[in-house]
């Protein structure tokens, strides 16, 4: 996940804040809000230390790598989001997986690059890798937060508002519609209740996924039509992974589709020569 | 590009590759072994560990087989998921002949429970029918889930409380000759879907009281439903389970429901309970292990009420899938810790079991730290029952944990299907109709039970599969008892929908032991709640008599202490529920001591 980037701030009026000035800081604030709501109402964190460690690892490593690998000072909002996402999305009884996942996530931005841009959404890379490869120590957040409708509604409304403002609403909506339609198809194939196939969408893992991961501007393709196609392909690959019983299918689907689409997009549309991408 | 940035890039790539490789490789090591150790021969195990657990069903003439409950047809598609409990075992000397007997419960309508009388010749005889406790799973009265024995009328014979998904039953022990159903008029409820019950004397009045924990809401008869909305409303925060019951023994064969009065108003999904004085005030506190939510710690306010302090104590911070409770002093500190089991499934759900150790001396508000990881007893599998006991008499408490949820078709897994609904909103997870058809799939099946050997001061070694033949039944209840009066602990495991495992402990070591069987006079006759502290060679170990502990299980009444190679016990302190402490100096070792509570001087 990454912060959604906008222009440099110039004035401090509230609506200006919302409209453009400090919008960079809205997504980090939103994910913090999700964390707080989740923790206050449901106690989603097994302990605070895991999240703190993931955030610190992420932010510090981003600051160091940006400074020494790219030679720039970087806004650390996206690293904060990466850290907080790692802290929420993986589950382990040990501390080191939080450090390693955050590090792998941030490092992927600096190592796996094409034409000066990173290909994978950082936390998607880190979380997917650990869920697939480090199964003895890491599991995912695949459980429901609770039964309270109000906080869930707040998260959905705020999330939709933010992706709308970031001009990424079409991505989120395409994914939700595709998932729902494909859930129906899956229910026909598996014979399971449609609600059972739809159920994951009501959980916290998907809220983080559809508001932060698939909308990550650093790893989406450049055209609106392309973005819609890519996110549909993510849902489609997830559909097949689900039929094959992959619990963490959305992460793996994005892991597979996102970079491929990004690569093709950069090959076709990026200006010649290396483009410096700071995020 | 500067040389410095090039170097930074190279270091970054190397670090990235190392982390990727390292994180992948570490999961392929045996550091986190759910599979247990390599099988060793009996002789190798005896040489290395000094004991071996030999399956002894046939030789002991125990041919019981558990059968799972049958449910309403509306639940047929997930019947193995729901009908996954009911195999229980409790140890009792019901006829006071000085030899431990075994009671197994069965769970299919029409099936029979079994009471195996110890014949003193290595064999057992099923006397459940003539004792009147076999045919108890009748249509309309529900099916057995577990049993606990306790002398509720202080007549010197252990009585039987049978809890069910149905009507709980109380049987009075008529001098070891007959168990008579005295449920009618006893004050017990008509229907409870219970998976836990323990005897305890919460007000120390010398009469055994009763705690009964509901799992499914008591308004449902699972064999005859008119709704499918019976499931937990959440995987981690469910409060729609069965209610709890606290019954005060009125002393006339009647029990009074004092649940609300005493503040036990939880409707979490209780699977186990344990009672021990955890704050040093002389009254038993209550720990409830809950599925789909946090465990609860109820502090006993001097027998007047219970106050839930789970979160404050640290025990109730993280919701897991609580299955079982046991008390054990694993580092010979003279302080009881609490072990609770949960679920660990690689890559899917890593909850880990807990060992809660008090962070300081007993206070009104005890606080606990989870030391399971440090002790090496965290990850077992889909764990149910557990028991502490010194299996090799080396002076340190070992640990047996029963594992395995549903062993159906090999090579299949219901976990993915399970994850769909458990990740969903309450309206989805709470309705069994939304749960995918199991289609004969396994879920955390074919798991070996864990046996952890305490090598000294809470450093455990996984010897699963090394000290017994390979077995992968769906383990539920575990009990430890000296079945043949040899001074060693044998292990009995009740397996779901299968035969139990009666392990005879074959011992090859020169270690000593000492046993205590306590009988209350001022305190309740069963001495439930009494603790014994044995001091020897600079060590001290404490154990407690419980009225049921683990998951649907009860250990032998006597307490067994291994002493290692030491051949002298310095002192024994017996703390009775009455508040009295008796002291025994230099008791004879390698012997069972029957101790009656001294009556207080007038």
């Amino acid at each position: 996940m990454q912060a959604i980037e906008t222009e440099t701030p110039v004035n401090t009026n509230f609506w200006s804040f919302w409209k453009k000035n400090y919008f960079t800081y809205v997504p980090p604030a939103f994910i913090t809000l999700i964390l707080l709501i989740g923790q206050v109402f449901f106690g989603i964190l097994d302990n605070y230390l895991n999240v703190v460690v993931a955030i610190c690892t992420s932010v510090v490593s981003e600051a160091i790598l940006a400074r020494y690998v790219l030679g720039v000072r970087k806004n650390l909002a996206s690293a904060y989001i990466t850290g907080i996402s790692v802290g929420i999305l993986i589950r382990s009884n040990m501390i080191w997986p939080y450090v390693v996942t955050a590090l792998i996530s941030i490092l992927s931005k600096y190592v796996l690059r094409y034409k000066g841009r990173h290909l994978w959404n950082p936390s998607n890379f880190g979380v997917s890798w650990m869920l697939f490869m480090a199964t003895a120590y890491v599991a995912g957040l695949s459980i429901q937060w609770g039964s309270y409708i109000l906080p869930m509604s707040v998260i959905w409304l705020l999330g939709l508002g933010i992706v709308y403002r970031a001009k990424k609403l079409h991505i989120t909506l395409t994914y939700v519609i595709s998932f729902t339609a494909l859930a129906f198809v899956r229910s026909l194939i598996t014979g399971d209740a449609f609600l059972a196939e739809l159920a994951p969408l009501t959980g916290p893992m998907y809220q983080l996924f559809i508001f932060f991961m698939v909308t990550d501007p650093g790893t989406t393709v450049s055209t609106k039509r392309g973005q819609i196609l890519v996110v549909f392909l993510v849902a489609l690959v997830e559909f097949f992974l689900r039929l094959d019983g992959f619990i963490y299918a959305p992460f793996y689907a994005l892991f597979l589709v996102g970079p491929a689409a990004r690569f093709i997009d950069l090959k076709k549309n990026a200006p010649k020569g290396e483009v410096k991408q700071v995020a | 590009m500067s040389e410095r940035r090039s170097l930074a890039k190279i270091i970054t790539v190397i670090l990235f590759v190392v982390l990727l490789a390292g994180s992948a490789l570490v999961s392929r090591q045996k550091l986190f072994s759910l599979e247990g150790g390599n099988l060793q021969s009996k002789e190798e195990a005896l040489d290395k560990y000094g004991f071996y657990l030999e399956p002894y069903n046939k030789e002991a003439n125990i041919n019981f087989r558990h059968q799972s409950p049958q449910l309403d047809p509306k639940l047929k598609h997930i019947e193995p998921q729901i009908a996954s409990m009911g195999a229980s075992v409790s140890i009792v000397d019901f006829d006071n002949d000085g030899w431990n007997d075994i009671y197994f419960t069965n769970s299919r309508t029409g099936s029979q429970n079994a009471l195996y009388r110890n014949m003193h010749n290595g064999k057992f005889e099923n006397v459940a029918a003539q004792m009147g406790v076999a045919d108890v799973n009748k249509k309309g009265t529900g099916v057995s889930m577990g049993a606990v024995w306790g002398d509720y009328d202080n007549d010197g014979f252990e009585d039987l409380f049978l809890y069910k998904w149905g009507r709980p039953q109380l049987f009075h022990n008529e001098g070891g000759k007959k168990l008579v159903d005295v449920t009618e008029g006893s004050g017990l409820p008509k229907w409870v879907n219970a998976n836990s019950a323990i005897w305890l004397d919460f007000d120390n009045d010398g009469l055994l009281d009763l705690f009964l924990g509901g799992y499914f809401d008591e308004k449902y008869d699972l064999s005859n439903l008119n709704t499918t909305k019976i499931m937990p409303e959440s995987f981690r925060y469910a409060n729609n389970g069965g209610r709890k019951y606290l019954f005060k023994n009125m002393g006339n064969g009647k029990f009074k429901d004092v649940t609300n009065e005493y503040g036990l108003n939880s409707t979490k999904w209780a699977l186990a309970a344990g009672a021990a004085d955890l704050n040093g005030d002389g009254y038993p506190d209550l720990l409830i292990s809950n599925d789909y939510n946090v465990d609860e710690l109820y502090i006993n306010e001097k027998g007047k009420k219970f106050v839930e302090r789970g979160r404050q104590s640290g025990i109730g911070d993280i919701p897991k899938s609580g299955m079982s409770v046991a008390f054990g002093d694993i580092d010979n500190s003279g302080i009881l810790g609490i072990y609770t089991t949960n679920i660990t499934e690689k890559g899917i759900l890593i909850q880990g079991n807990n060992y809660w150790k008090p962070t300081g001396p007993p206070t009104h508000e005890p606080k606990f730290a989870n030391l399971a990881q440090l002790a090496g007893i965290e990850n077992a599998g889909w764990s149910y029952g557990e028991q502490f006991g010194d299996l090799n008499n080396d002076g340190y408490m070992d640990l047996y944990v029963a594992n395995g949820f549903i062993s159906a078709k090999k090579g299949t897994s219901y976990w993915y299907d399970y994850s769909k609904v458990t990740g969903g909103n309450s309206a989805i997870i709470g309705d069994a109709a939304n749960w995918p058809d199991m289609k004969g799939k396994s879920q955390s099946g074919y798991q070996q039970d864990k046996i952890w050997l305490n090598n000294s001061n809470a450093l455990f070694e996984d010897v699963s599969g090394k000290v017994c033949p390979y077995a992968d039944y769906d383990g539920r209840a575990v009990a430890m008892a000296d079945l043949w009066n040899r001074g060693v602990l044998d292990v009995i495991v009740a397996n779901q929908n299968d035969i139990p495992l009666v392990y005879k402990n074959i011992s090859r070591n020169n270690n000593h032991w000492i046993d205590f069987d306590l009988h209350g006079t001022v305190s309740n006759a069963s001495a439930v709640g009494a603790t014994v502290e044995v001091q020897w060679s600079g060590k001290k170990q404490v154990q407690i008599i419980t009225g049921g502990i683990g998951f649907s299980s009860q250990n032998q009444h006597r307490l067994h202490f291994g002493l290692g190679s030491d051949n002298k016990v310095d002192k024994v302190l017996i703390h009775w529920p009455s508040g009295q402490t008796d002291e025994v100096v230099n008791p004879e070792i390698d012997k069972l001591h029957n101790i009656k509570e001294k009556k207080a001087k007038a």
Side-chain angles (χ1 to χ4, degrees):
Chain A
M1 296 179 205
Q2 276 192 297
I4 295 164
E5 293 157 12
T6 56
E7 301 91 320
T8 311
V10 289
N11 92 46
T12 54
N13 171 285
F14 175 80
W15 289 111
S16 299
F17 175 96
W18 171 253
K19 285 164 82 175
K20 61 179 181 180
N21 289 348
Y22 294 99
F23 192 73
T24 303
Y25 300 102
V26 170
F30 177 52
I31 197 169
T32 307
L33 180 71
I34 289 181
L35 178 69
L36 288 176
I37 289 175
Q39 182 61 10
V40 169
F41 283 90
F42 319 120
I44 59 164
L45 297 177
D46 288 350
N47 68 57
Y48 289 101
L49 186 62
N50 298 339
V51 168
V52 170
V53 162
I55 293 171
C56 291
T57 305
S58 192
V59 168
V60 170
S61 56
E62 176 92 309
I64 292 170
L65 290 166
R67 176 78 183 85
Y68 291 101
V69 175
L70 299 180
V72 297
R73 287 187 193 280
K74 210 181 126 358
N75 184 314
L76 298 174
S78 69
Y80 173 79
I81 293 181
T82 298
I84 211 167
S85 305
V86 166
I88 294 173
L89 286 173
I90 67 162
R91 294 288 154 129
S92 178
N93 291 334
M94 299 183 171
I95 288 289
W96 69 260
Y98 293 91
V99 175
V100 170
T101 310
L103 259 179
I104 286 176
S105 301
I106 297 297
L107 283 166
S108 74
K109 290 167 67 173
Y110 293 86
V111 176
L112 304 172
R113 298 171 79 86
Y114 178 66
K115 290 195 174 179
R117 309 249 181 172
H118 63 265
L119 296 173
W120 271 269
N121 169 284
S123 53
N124 175 241
F125 185 92
V127 167
S128 298
W129 180 268
M130 294 299 276
L131 288 176
F132 196 77
M133 301 302 287
T135 53
Y137 299 95
V138 176
L141 174 71
S142 59
I143 42 87
Q144 161 210 24
W145 284 12
S147 306
Y148 302 100
I149 294 297
L150 183 64
M152 301 277 280
S153 308
V154 169
I155 289 169
W156 271 90
L157 288 173
L158 272 174
L160 289 170
I162 288 165
V163 292
Y164 170 75
R165 170 61 188 84
K167 297 188 171 63
K168 303 290 178 192
L169 184 61
H170 57 284
I171 295 179
T172 296
L173 290 182
T174 302
Y175 179 80
V176 171
I177 292 165
S178 303
F179 182 94
T180 306
L182 291 168
F184 180 71
V185 176
R186 266 200 316 275
S187 74
L188 295 177
I189 295 170
T190 61
D192 294 338
F194 170 59
L195 282 178
E197 296 296 345
L198 191 66
L201 200 60
T202 65
M205 186 170 85
Y206 271 77
Q207 285 153 32
L208 295 171
F209 184 74
I210 62 177
F211 291 134
F212 290 96
M213 267 194 192
V214 291
T215 58
D216 175 12
T219 51
T220 47
V221 296
S222 51
T223 66
K224 190 171 181 177
R225 188 174 293 182
Q227 289 167 356
I228 289 173
L229 176 65
V230 169
V231 80
F232 170 73
L233 286 173
V234 169
L236 189 66
V237 170
E238 181 190 350
F239 167 83
F240 288 110
L241 290 173
R242 283 195 166 279
L243 285 178
D244 206 28
F246 283 88
I247 290 176
Y248 306 117
F251 296 137
Y252 299 156
L254 183 61
F255 183 94
L256 295 171
V257 174
R262 175 80 162 158
F263 177 81
I264 294 165
D265 186 56
L266 285 173
K267 201 168 178 64
K268 279 176 63 179
N269 302 325
K272 286 185 179 171
E274 186 166 294
V275 178
K276 279 194 178 175
Q277 183 198 33
V278 177
Chain B
M1 189 186 294
S2 73
E3 213 170 275
R4 202 169 98 174
R5 277 174 57 193
S6 295
L7 182 64
K9 269 195 169 179
I10 291 167
I11 292 171
T12 301
V13 171
I14 291 171
L15 180 61
F16 186 61
V17 171
V18 166
L19 285 174
L20 292 182
S23 57
L25 287 174
V26 80
S27 269
R28 278 132 193 90
Q29 300 300 307
K30 280 217 159 184
L31 293 172
F32 175 103
S33 174
L34 289 176
E35 291 81 23
N38 297 322
L39 282 172
Q40 290 187 320
S41 74
K42 180 177 170 182
E43 285 305 311
E44 282 174 319
L46 284 167
D47 286 343
K48 190 168 181 187
Y49 302 110
F51 79 104
Y52 186 79
L53 298 177
E54 180 111 57
Y56 220 67
N57 293 38
K58 195 175 169 193
E59 292 84 347
N61 197 32
I62 290 173
N63 51 15
F64 175 82
R65 177 179 283 269
H66 177 261
Q67 294 175 283
S68 293
Q70 280 178 310
L71 307 176
D72 186 283
K74 286 189 272 300
L75 303 176
K76 200 74 190 167
H77 63 300
I78 53 168
E79 185 166 279
Q81 184 80 210
I82 297 176
S84 56
M85 292 177 285
S88 88
V89 58
S90 44
I91 306 299
V92 62
D93 179 7
F94 73 89
D95 51 2
N96 284 354
D97 64 354
W99 293 74
N100 283 312
D101 311 302
I102 312 171
Y103 189 57
F104 292 110
T105 58
N106 219 328
S107 310
R108 179 157 298 202
T109 303
S111 67
Q112 309 256 309
N113 292 2
L115 176 60
Y116 282 100
R117 184 205 297 267
N118 195 322
M119 303 305 289
H120 313 177
N121 60 358
K123 293 189 182 302
F124 288 80
E125 181 189 10
N126 186 1
V127 295
Q130 60 253 48
M131 292 298 293
V133 290
D135 190 17
V136 290
N137 303 308
K138 296 176 186 166
K139 196 168 174 61
T141 67
V143 292
S144 301
M145 286 290 130
V148 281
W149 298 78
D151 184 0
Y152 74 85
D153 60 348
N154 292 336
D155 67 351
F157 286 88
E158 301 283 300
D159 310 299
L160 170 65
F161 178 70
L162 182 65
Y163 52 98
K164 298 170 149 186
W165 285 356
R167 187 179 191 194
Q169 284 179 275
L170 182 66
F171 293 87
H172 182 255
N173 189 337
E174 306 279 335
K177 308 284 185 215
K178 189 84 182 166
L179 287 152
V180 176
D181 189 344
V182 293
T183 311
E184 202 62 43
S186 64
L188 295 173
K190 294 289 181 201
W191 195 278
V192 186
N193 294 310
N195 282 96
S196 60
I198 55 169
W199 293 103
L200 75 167
D201 183 3
F202 63 78
D203 51 2
N204 287 347
D205 65 352
L207 294 170
L208 276 183
D209 310 302
L210 196 55
F211 168 82
L212 178 62
Y215 187 67
F216 283 94
D217 192 314
E218 58 280 356
K219 69 186 174 205
Y220 304 124
D221 173 354
L222 297 172
S223 66
N224 183 21
L225 291 165
N226 53 17
T227 179
T228 50
K229 293 177 181 170
I230 60 161
M231 302 301 280
E233 62 191 346
S234 163
F235 189 71
R236 273 165 70 103
Y237 313 101
N239 284 305
N240 63 335
R243 60 162 286 201
K244 309 297 159 281
Y245 297 84
L246 186 67
F247 295 107
K248 180 173 167 53
N249 186 341
M250 305 307 288
N252 53 359
K254 294 191 189 310
F255 289 81
K256 183 184 174 190
D257 184 348
V258 295
T259 316
N260 290 333
E261 189 183 322
Y262 274 74
L264 285 171
N265 48 13
S266 166
T267 50
K268 293 181 171 61
W269 294 65
L271 278 183
D277 178 14
L278 299 170
N279 63 353
D281 67 353
Y283 289 85
D285 308 300
L286 184 61
L287 193 126
I288 303 176
S289 199
N290 292 311
D291 206 356
Y292 310 117
N293 211 320
V294 293
D295 293 340
E296 295 169 291
L297 173 61
Y298 285 93
I299 295 295
N300 187 336
E301 299 280 353
K302 301 207 179 295
K304 305 291 182 203
K305 65 173 177 175
F306 284 94
V307 179
E308 209 284 304
R309 308 297 285 172
R311 185 170 282 272
Q312 294 81 352
S313 69
I315 287 174
D317 265 346
I318 303 173
K320 295 186 178 179
S321 305
M323 303 283 190
S324 179
V325 181
F327 301 111
D329 174 9
I330 62 173
D331 56 357
N332 288 348
S333 60
I335 298 169
L336 288 176
I338 307 161
Y339 191 75
T340 56
T341 57
N342 301 292
I343 301 171
T344 296
E345 179 69 23
K346 279 174 83 170
I348 298 172
L349 190 62
I350 302 179
Q351 294 180 332
N353 299 343
N354 306 314
Y355 179 75
W356 297 106
K357 186 80 179 173
T359 55
T363 61
H364 181 66
E365 288 274 349
K367 301 216 180 306
F368 298 85
N370 184 6
L371 303 184
Q373 199 174 97
L374 285 175
I377 49 176
E378 185 177 41
N379 294 309
W382 188 306
S383 304
Y384 273 94
E386 86 220 63
Q387 295 298 347
F388 285 108
D390 190 348
L391 293 171
N392 57 356
N393 283 346
D394 67 348
Y396 295 97
M397 300 284 270
D398 309 307
L399 179 61
Y400 190 107
V401 178
N403 283 318
F405 184 37
I406 300 166
S407 298
K409 277 185 209 160
K410 285 199 171 177
T412 61
S413 173
Y414 187 67
W415 267 109
Y416 167 73
D417 311 82
Y418 188 79
S419 76
K420 285 192 293 194
V421 282
T422 53
N425 185 266
S426 59
I428 297 171
I429 184 178
D431 188 346
N434 293 326
W435 287 56
D437 193 330
M438 291 198 73
K439 295 174 185 162
K441 290 178 186 170
S442 295
Q443 187 172 9
S444 292
Y446 302 102
Q447 294 187 344
Q448 212 175 347
D449 292 350
K450 276 281 177 202
I451 305 172
W452 274 301
L453 201 60
N454 187 342
N455 279 329
S456 69
N457 285 328
L459 294 172
F460 286 82
E461 177 187 352
D462 182 359
V463 295
S464 318
K466 294 178 180 175
V467 294
C468 62
Y470 180 83
D472 56 12
Y473 300 101
D474 293 334
R476 293 295 178 267
V478 182
M480 289 193 189
D482 184 351
L483 291 178
W484 291 281
N485 286 345
R486 299 170 302 138
V488 292
L489 285 176
D490 306 298
V491 181
I492 306 96
V493 186
N495 298 307
Q496 186 72 13
N497 213 26
D498 222 314
I499 59 165
L501 280 168
V502 178
Y503 286 115
K504 184 172 187 178
N505 188 337
I506 310 296
S507 176
R508 186 188 289 167
N509 57 60
N510 297 316
N511 293 333
H512 297 286
W513 56 277
I514 190 166
D515 282 9
F516 298 93
D517 206 352
L518 307 187
H519 307 279
T521 53
V522 183
S523 307
N524 67 83
S526 297
V528 168
T531 59
V532 174
E533 180 181 304
V534 174
Q535 300 178 5
W536 82 105
S537 292
K539 299 175 207 143
K540 60 177 175 181
Q541 186 182 105
V542 68
Q543 293 186 28
I544 183 170
I545 296 180
T546 60
I549 197 70
F551 171 80
S552 301
S553 57
Q554 186 170 23
N555 288 325
Q556 66 175 1
H557 186 259
R558 68 183 80 155
L559 299 178
H560 174 86
F561 294 82
L563 300 172
S565 56
D566 298 309
N567 55 15
K568 185 185 165 194
V569 167
D570 302 317
K571 192 164 71 174
V572 176
L573 295 174
I574 301 163
H575 302 286
W576 298 90
S578 63
Q580 186 173 312
T581 298
D582 291 342
E583 185 176 315
V584 184
V585 178
N586 293 335
E588 192 179 338
I589 63 165
D590 299 331
K591 183 183 172 183
L592 165 66
H593 296 260
N594 280 294
I595 294 181
K596 200 171 236 189
E597 183 181 16
K598 290 174 188 163
K599 294 209 171 167
K601 288 173 188 167

